Amino acid sequence: MLMKKPFYLFALLLSWLWFVPVVHAQLPDFVPLVEKNAPAVVNISTASKVKPQRRADLNGIPEELLRRFFGDAFPIPPGQGEVPRGRGDDNKKEMQSLGTGFIISADGYIITNHHVIADADEITVRFSDRKELSAKVIGSDERTDIALLKVEAKGLPTVTLGQTSKLKVGEWVLAIGSPFGFEATVTQGIVSAKERTLPDDTYVPFIQSDVAINPGNSGGPLFNLAGEVVGINSQIYSRSGGFMGLSFSIPIEVAMNTV
């Protein structure tokens, strides 16, 4: 028995060495997918001009009495009843938001989420080569959370569109986006469920996955292993405001029907 023990240990070592490369061989290689598709994913920033807020009804209290008690803490512009904000003559303030989009045609059509560009007065698209172009909204739909943008350009890289109907639960998927403004960030996971309904009256049969999605990923593409876009990253469920393992993407068929 003492002579056989080293043999058993040697056999166990060989079996372990054989098993390790087999396991590694089964893991997907995302590098070619990212290299091919990352140039077609763009960062989207918006600027919205916020109008001055109107002062609440003061029930006819004389202005000089208000100033006697409050000084200039509550200024009342004559005849307007508005509180000035920001700088400049128009008293407007610009607010920035960040999101993601992807190019579906070489002449500059881009898909993103409606909530990324809602109420925006200016939309700027930044490409992987750091070039920036202004975009206009061709159309936007709040219920499906899809927006179509257009930039004036030619020969742009594009993504390939897939079919959600062929997507299976447990299949590997990958997202490219700009979480918290960090452009071209890649995260991966698996499809957790399909046709998921959310309690927000959104008419979308969401793809649920455990791909890490955070603020700034909205509007970005969800790829299958074939490098095809099967969804548009739209929402997360979270108690903290950050990723907690539940991500929801709009099926590409729903998006293209809206487009």
Side-chain angles (χ1 to χ4, degrees):
M1 294 297 293
L2 292 177
M3 296 295 294
K4 291 182 178 180
K5 189 174 182 179
F7 173 77
Y8 288 138
L9 291 175
F10 180 71
L12 182 62
L13 178 62
L14 285 179
S15 64
W16 181 80
L17 291 174
W18 173 84
F19 177 73
V20 170
V22 170
V23 172
H24 282 288
Q26 292 176 346
L27 296 177
D29 181 9
F30 293 111
V31 174
L33 189 160
V34 174
E35 291 179 344
K36 178 182 177 182
N37 292 284
V41 180
V42 298
N43 174 270
I44 296 175
S45 61
T46 66
S48 301
K49 293 184 178 180
V50 181
K51 294 182 179 180
Q53 293 184 349
R54 296 198 64 82
R55 176 168 294 285
D57 184 8
L58 299 177
N59 297 321
I61 301 176
E63 179 181 337
E64 23 180 279
L65 184 61
L66 289 171
R67 293 195 183 280
R68 182 180 302 174
F69 283 99
F70 301 108
D72 291 329
F74 296 90
I76 306 174
Q80 296 183 10
E82 294 182 346
V83 180
R85 293 190 171 194
R87 299 177 180 178
D89 296 334
D90 56 358
N91 292 324
K92 293 181 179 179
K93 180 181 179 181
E94 291 189 346
M95 304 294 292
Q96 298 288 332
S97 67
L98 294 174
T100 304
F102 56 96
I103 308 168
I104 60 171
S105 70
D107 58 346
Y109 284 95
I110 297 169
I111 292 180
T112 187
N113 281 147
H114 164 82
H115 73 260
V116 170
I117 54 87
D119 302 321
D121 293 307
E122 298 177 9
I123 302 172
T124 301
V125 174
R126 182 184 300 157
F127 299 86
S128 59
D129 60 0
R130 315 304 295 174
K131 182 179 180 181
E132 293 185 357
L133 292 175
S134 296
K136 64 178 181 179
V137 179
I138 301 300
S140 189
D141 180 61
E142 181 177 4
R143 190 162 191 190
T144 56
D145 198 21
I146 294 296
L148 180 66
L149 309 180
K150 178 70 167 64
V151 295
E152 295 302 323
K154 295 181 179 180
L156 297 177
T158 62
V159 297
T160 301
L161 304 182
Q163 299 180 36
T164 308
S165 57
K166 295 183 178 181
L167 196 65
K168 298 183 182 297
V169 175
E171 183 174 337
W172 286 96
V173 282
L174 177 141
I176 303 178
S178 302
F180 304 107
F182 294 104
E183 300 174 27
T185 296
V186 179
T187 52
Q188 54 81 25
I190 62 169
V191 177
S192 304
K194 292 179 62 177
E195 300 183 0
R196 186 70 81 193
T197 301
L198 301 182
D200 59 359
D201 195 35
T202 302
Y203 181 66
V204 173
F206 285 99
I207 304 166
Q208 180 184 328
S209 74
D210 65 352
V211 176
I213 300 298
N214 284 288
N217 274 113
S218 292
L222 185 73
F223 293 96
N224 61 16
L225 284 184
E228 301 168 332
V229 177
V230 292
I232 301 175
N233 302 315
S234 176
Q235 298 187 33
I236 60 173
Y237 257 45
S238 173
R239 293 180 179 178
S240 65
F243 173 70
M244 294 183 67
L246 293 174
S247 303
F248 298 92
S249 305
I250 303 165
I252 192 62
E253 292 92 340
V254 173
M256 294 311 297
N257 284 341
T258 302
V259 167

